[in-house]
Amino acid sequence: MEVRRSVAELGARTYAIQLLSDAGIPFLVGGAYAFAHYTGIYRDTKDLDLFLRRADGDRALELLARNEWRTESEVHGWLHKAFWEDFLVDLIYGSGNGLTTIDEAWFQHAVPAQVLGCPCRVPPAEEIFWSKAFVLERERFDGHELTHLLLKTGATFDWPRLMRRFERYWEVLLSHLLFFRFAYPSDRDIVPSWVMRELLARADASVDAGNWSERICRGRLLSPVSYRVDIDEWGYADGGAWDARQRQREDSPREAPEAPGPHGPH
């Protein structure tokens, strides 16, 4: 239940939802509203997060501009912003690290919900987990939200799909699952045993495999700010840029990616 925001601000959020719904532009309501839908935990939020595929995000921005919203496009390269007076709506189509773009699976597995009295859909819990898992900035860490999300919805997770999402980043998934096991030792069976055994086996194999041959810091996939020093001063190659090249090559039918295997290049 909203208790900290003015009627005018909530009205602006409702107006945005109604405009996009009436125009038939597919979107998902994320952020605090989606988190509350799954967990029952409400946290105050300064804006409304709407998740859209890139082309639909462009259409939504044009629609809001035609209806007298002030708009900003390509903010940080992964979202648009729209303002009704001082009230903000984020139109999100990607992520700061370039990994968790909004693709068809977000909509294929979306869940019906009621937000601000409007029928809409929220992102799948698995995709919320996937996207939040990489938010480890100094001023923002979403780990507690991940453990709460797992506690409330993990029993119904599509674990094979989540494992595919994390295939290149399995260490990140394992770290969050270990945090969950620490926080909720009486609820460890929410995470299937086969998931833990598979990830722990990869960790064990990585010990035998040893170091990667290339001196890379992948920390910027987790915190672009905090790991800047590693790239600028300590001589590490930018693991974020390296990962982006790998993903681009995987998407190109003419150029095969370098094959790092599950434990990196050797």
Side-chain angles (χ1 to χ4, degrees):
M1 179 179 178
E2 296 278 8
V3 293
R4 300 182 183 177
R5 297 289 156 175
S6 68
V7 172
E9 184 168 6
L10 298 180
R13 296 175 184 179
T14 303
Y15 183 33
I17 290 173
Q18 291 176 337
L19 281 173
L20 269 62
S21 296
D22 292 345
I25 297 176
F27 67 92
L28 305 173
V29 179
Y33 291 106
F35 184 66
H37 173 82
Y38 284 113
T39 67
I41 300 172
Y42 171 76
R43 58 173 172 79
D44 182 53
T45 178
K46 62 179 173 42
D47 55 27
L48 172 68
D49 290 340
L50 302 182
F51 290 82
L52 311 91
R53 287 163 290 220
R54 175 55 196 269
D56 292 327
D58 295 344
R59 291 172 56 207
L61 194 71
E62 294 172 2
L63 172 68
L64 294 173
R66 290 198 306 270
N67 284 274
E68 302 182 352
W69 290 67
R70 178 170 59 87
T71 61
E72 297 176 6
S73 63
E74 299 286 344
V75 181
H76 308 305
W78 52 275
L79 80 162
H80 303 315
K81 291 183 178 289
F83 298 86
W84 184 264
E85 297 180 352
D86 293 327
F87 309 135
L88 171 63
V89 173
D90 281 335
L91 306 173
I92 300 168
Y93 51 83
S95 63
N97 60 18
L99 300 182
T100 54
T101 56
I102 312 305
D103 58 22
E104 185 59 35
W106 287 68
F107 291 85
Q108 182 181 353
H109 303 284
V111 175
Q114 284 276 335
V115 175
L116 298 171
C118 302
C120 58
R121 294 189 294 167
V122 295
E126 294 88 345
E127 271 62 31
I128 294 175
F129 189 97
W130 175 50
S131 60
K132 283 183 174 293
F134 296 91
V135 183
L136 280 78
E137 291 288 0
R138 179 177 180 179
E139 71 281 2
R140 179 177 174 183
F141 173 64
D142 284 350
H144 64 286
E145 293 198 356
L146 295 182
T147 55
H148 283 134
L149 190 65
L150 266 179
L151 181 68
K152 295 296 184 179
T153 66
T156 61
F157 266 19
D158 183 341
W159 286 100
R161 188 169 95 249
L162 191 66
M163 290 283 279
R164 289 192 296 272
R165 287 294 201 190
F166 279 98
E167 179 59 34
R168 295 170 61 85
Y169 319 101
W170 59 267
E171 296 102 326
V172 178
L173 175 58
L174 176 58
S175 67
H176 286 294
L177 296 185
L178 290 174
F179 279 133
F180 175 79
R181 291 171 65 84
F182 177 84
Y184 298 107
S186 61
D187 297 280
R188 290 174 174 173
D189 61 356
I190 285 177
V191 180
S193 58
W194 70 265
V195 171
M196 292 303 303
R197 290 194 175 99
E198 167 64 21
L199 294 175
L200 290 170
R202 294 187 190 187
D204 186 62
S206 73
V207 174
D208 294 333
N211 293 338
W212 287 22
S213 58
E214 188 173 352
R215 197 164 184 255
I216 291 175
C217 174
R218 290 189 292 174
R220 298 197 73 234
L221 293 172
L222 307 172
S223 174
V225 175
S226 298
Y227 288 94
R228 186 75 257 179
V229 64
D230 302 78
I231 314 307
D232 292 344
E233 300 181 23
W234 293 352
Y236 283 88
D238 186 346
W242 176 87
D243 193 79
R245 291 194 298 271
Q246 301 309 302
R247 286 183 279 113
Q248 184 177 23
R249 289 168 176 166
E250 288 172 356
D251 292 338
S252 172
R254 295 185 178 181
E255 187 174 5
E258 300 170 14
H263 313 297
H266 292 282

